[in-house]
């Protein structure tokens, strides 16, 4: 039922077109359609408009098809000429259509390319790369120098017993020298090591001379924080035990190391000191070029015979020397850092400078 109505309406609309009677009337219609078509084609900017144009002019029921239907109403002798004119009109419509179709395709391709364009000159997503902390780097540099000199690297626990931290190092309980190492106790027997010297004992108990080791590591002291003291800091312990070593060898090793680490221009000063586990004992101070302050970088000395005996060595046969070097202080001297606290504050403005 609906279908029939639709068909009817088509017939009606086709019937609306006035039948041509002369070729002149046809020419006039062709002229006005051609003009309208040209104008319409100019404003085709979307695929939808293009499709509407096609239906209006080139469709089965479009303006041109409708004109073709009027051919039969023309006088016989005009039909060939009229057909030619209509074919030309149709060809022009096709031309306009394809030209617009082409340029729309180009435009949309251009649009897509513009949208999908990847600008290879733009900076990428930035993933900041971290790096080793200055202290770690300085510690490794110190390790490298001693590795080149033939030392091994040893390590020991940060949680120690009184025996390794003090007694074996010739510092008996209640000895006033313990005040030098204001220690964090965990309970009656365990403590956070206040220096790396306990590793000396552990190494010597496990090996026989010659012993040539360094022991880098973290230490803890109940020191009040100030520009040169921190409750957490790092030391590199050195121990060399062998027949025939003297203080001259110790001095040479220190001077060689200091020269390797700092290069020219740094001043070094050795002076007498006291440690229960070395005899004689010295301390070493350094001064950066142009600086007025001396900074203590290590305590050192010849290993006390009591310590050698404690670990089962014969002090009549072997001698040795040791030192405990402050890693932060080495970094401070080299990089002109005037406050030890910055190492552990994790302030990126400091950390990223190195
Ligand atoms: N352990 C000492 C300290 O931390 C330093 C030191 C090590 C001194 C070895 C002599 C020999 O103060």
């Amino acid at each position: 039922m609906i279908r029939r109505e639709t068909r009817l309406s088509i017939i009606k609309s086709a019937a609306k077109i006035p039948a041509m009677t002369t070729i002149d009337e046809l020419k006039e219609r062709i002229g006005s359609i051609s003009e309208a078509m040209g104008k319409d084609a100019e404003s085709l900017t979307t695929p939808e408009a293009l499709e509407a144009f096609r239906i209006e002019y080139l469709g089965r029921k479009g303006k041109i098809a409708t004109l073709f239907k009027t051919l039969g109403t023309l006088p016989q002798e005009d039909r060939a000429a009229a057909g030619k004119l209509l074919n030309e009109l149709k060809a022009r419509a096709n031309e306009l259509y394809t030209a617009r179709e082409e340029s729309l395709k180009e435009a949309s391709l251009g649009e897509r390319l513009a949208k999908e364009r990847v600008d290879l000159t733009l900076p990428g997503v930035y993933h900041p790369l971290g790096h080793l902390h200055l202290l770690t780097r300085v510690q490794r540099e110190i390790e490298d120098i001693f590795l080149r000199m033939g030392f091994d690297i040893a390590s020991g626990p940060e949680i120690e017993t009184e025996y390794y931290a003090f007694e074996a190092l010739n510092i008996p309980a209640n000895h006033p020298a313990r005040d030098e190492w204001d220690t964090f106790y965990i309970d009656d027997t365990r403590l956070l090591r206040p220096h790396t010297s306990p590793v000396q004992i552990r190494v010597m108990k496990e090996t026989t001379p010659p012993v040539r080791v360094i022991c880098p590591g973290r230490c803890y002291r109940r020191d009040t924080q100030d520009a040169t003291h921190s409750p957490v800091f790092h030391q590199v312990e050195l121990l060399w035990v062998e027949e025939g070593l003297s203080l001259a060898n110790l001095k040479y090793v220190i001077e060689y190391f200091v020269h390797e680490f700092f290069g020219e221009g740094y001043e070094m000063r050795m002076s007498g000191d006291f440690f229960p586990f070395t005899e004689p004992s010295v301390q070493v101070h350094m001064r950066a070029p142009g600086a007025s302050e001396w900074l203590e970088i290590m305590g050192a000395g010849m290993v006390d015979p009591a310590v050698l005996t404690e670990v089962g060595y014969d002090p009549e046969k072997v001698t040795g020397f040791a030192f405990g070097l402050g890693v932060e202080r080495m970094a401070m001297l080299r990089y002109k850092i005037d406050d030890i606290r910055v190492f552990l504050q994790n302030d990126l403005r400091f950390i990223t400078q190195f």
Side-chain angles (χ1 to χ4, degrees):
M1 211 47 194
I2 291 168
R3 270 193 173 178
R4 199 172 287 167
E5 271 182 18
T6 313
R7 242 186 241 147
L8 263 174
S9 74
I10 291 164
I11 294 160
K12 266 186 206 155
S13 79
K16 266 186 198 158
I17 307 286
M20 297 295 148
T21 44
T22 68
I23 187 146
D24 288 338
E25 274 172 319
L26 181 70
K27 278 183 185 161
E28 214 175 278
R29 291 250 341 126
I30 289 177
S32 70
I33 288 177
S34 179
E35 198 181 312
M37 199 166 67
K39 269 194 203 132
D40 285 358
E42 272 167 36
S43 57
L44 297 180
T45 51
T46 63
E48 292 76 25
L50 182 72
E51 179 58 6
F53 176 90
R54 191 191 63 77
I55 292 170
E56 180 169 2
Y57 295 101
L58 292 161
R60 242 175 347 106
K61 298 160 214 159
K63 289 191 170 146
I64 296 173
T66 310
L67 277 191
F68 267 104
K69 282 184 193 140
T70 65
L71 271 182
T73 65
L74 289 179
Q76 188 67 43
E77 66 275 20
D78 288 340
R79 284 185 196 165
K84 196 170 165 251
L85 287 174
L86 279 174
N87 277 330
E88 278 167 13
L89 179 67
K90 193 175 173 185
R92 174 137 192 275
N94 269 320
E95 251 165 50
L96 285 173
Y97 176 82
T98 7
R100 275 334 263 179
E101 189 184 38
E102 208 51 47
S103 68
L104 273 184
K105 257 193 216 151
E106 260 166 40
S108 83
L109 180 69
E111 207 175 284
R112 223 185 81 201
L113 286 179
K115 229 195 281 168
E116 293 176 5
R117 188 188 144 116
V118 175
D119 185 349
L120 297 176
T121 66
L122 278 178
V125 182
Y126 178 59
H127 299 291
L129 261 191
H131 61 75
L132 292 175
H133 191 278
L134 178 60
L135 275 183
T136 311
R137 287 194 7 225
V138 166
Q139 181 181 309
R140 292 195 181 173
E141 215 179 299
I142 295 170
E143 289 172 6
D144 285 346
I145 295 171
F146 287 110
L147 284 171
R148 290 201 294 273
M149 290 169 75
F151 285 81
D152 290 331
I153 297 179
S155 66
E158 289 177 23
I159 296 175
E160 267 296 3
T161 61
E162 284 201 296
Y163 173 75
Y164 285 105
F166 296 124
E167 275 149 42
L169 287 164
N170 203 26
I171 318 169
N174 304 317
H175 193 283
R178 286 213 183 176
D179 296 349
E180 284 285 311
W181 296 273
D182 203 348
T183 306
F184 290 108
Y185 277 83
I186 293 167
D187 52 36
D188 285 348
T189 53
R190 290 179 304 162
L191 47 87
L192 294 176
R193 67 177 180 199
H195 53 176
T196 43
S197 297
V199 192
Q200 284 188 36
I201 305 298
R202 290 179 178 275
V203 168
M204 285 191 283
K205 282 190 170 235
E206 276 171 23
T207 49
T208 50
V211 174
R212 211 179 290 137
V213 287
I214 59 162
C215 328
R218 197 175 290 141
C219 306
Y220 305 84
R221 276 186 211 174
R222 284 179 35 180
D223 276 342
T224 308
Q225 283 207 38
D226 63 27
T228 51
H229 294 87
S230 160
V232 183
F233 59 99
H234 297 75
Q235 283 189 339
V236 173
E237 190 86 6
L238 175 140
L239 175 71
W240 186 346
V241 184
E242 201 170 327
E243 276 175 42
L245 290 176
S246 74
L247 199 66
N249 301 114
L250 169 62
K251 189 165 181 257
Y252 174 79
V253 167
I254 295 173
E255 276 173 355
Y256 178 85
F257 162 69
V258 160
H259 186 264
E260 286 289 290
F261 187 82
F262 290 111
E264 305 294 334
Y266 282 79
E267 289 173 274
M268 193 179 104
R269 193 176 74 182
M270 264 175 139
S271 50
D273 202 348
F274 171 77
F275 299 102
F277 38 93
T278 47
E279 181 59 32
S281 304
V282 294
Q283 53 180 304
V284 177
H285 283 81
M286 300 257 338
R287 186 156 69 175
S292 57
E293 297 285 307
W294 289 92
L295 195 62
E296 188 189 340
I297 57 158
M298 66 168 80
M302 300 305 293
V303 180
D304 196 288
V307 174
L308 295 174
T309 307
E310 176 65 32
V311 297
Y313 289 4
D314 182 355
E316 297 297 325
K317 267 183 78 182
V318 292
T319 49
F321 55 77
F323 69 58
L325 171 76
V327 179
E328 281 81 355
R329 288 169 173 207
M330 297 295 282
M332 288 167 79
L333 279 162
R334 160 115 55 92
Y335 298 102
K336 312 225 163 25
I337 296 162
D338 57 10
D339 194 325
I340 199 171
R341 287 166 288 201
V342 294
F343 290 110
L344 294 179
Q345 277 164 350
N346 278 343
D347 187 333
L348 283 175
R349 288 169 303 179
F350 170 74
I351 289 172
T352 56
Q353 280 180 53
F354 303 97

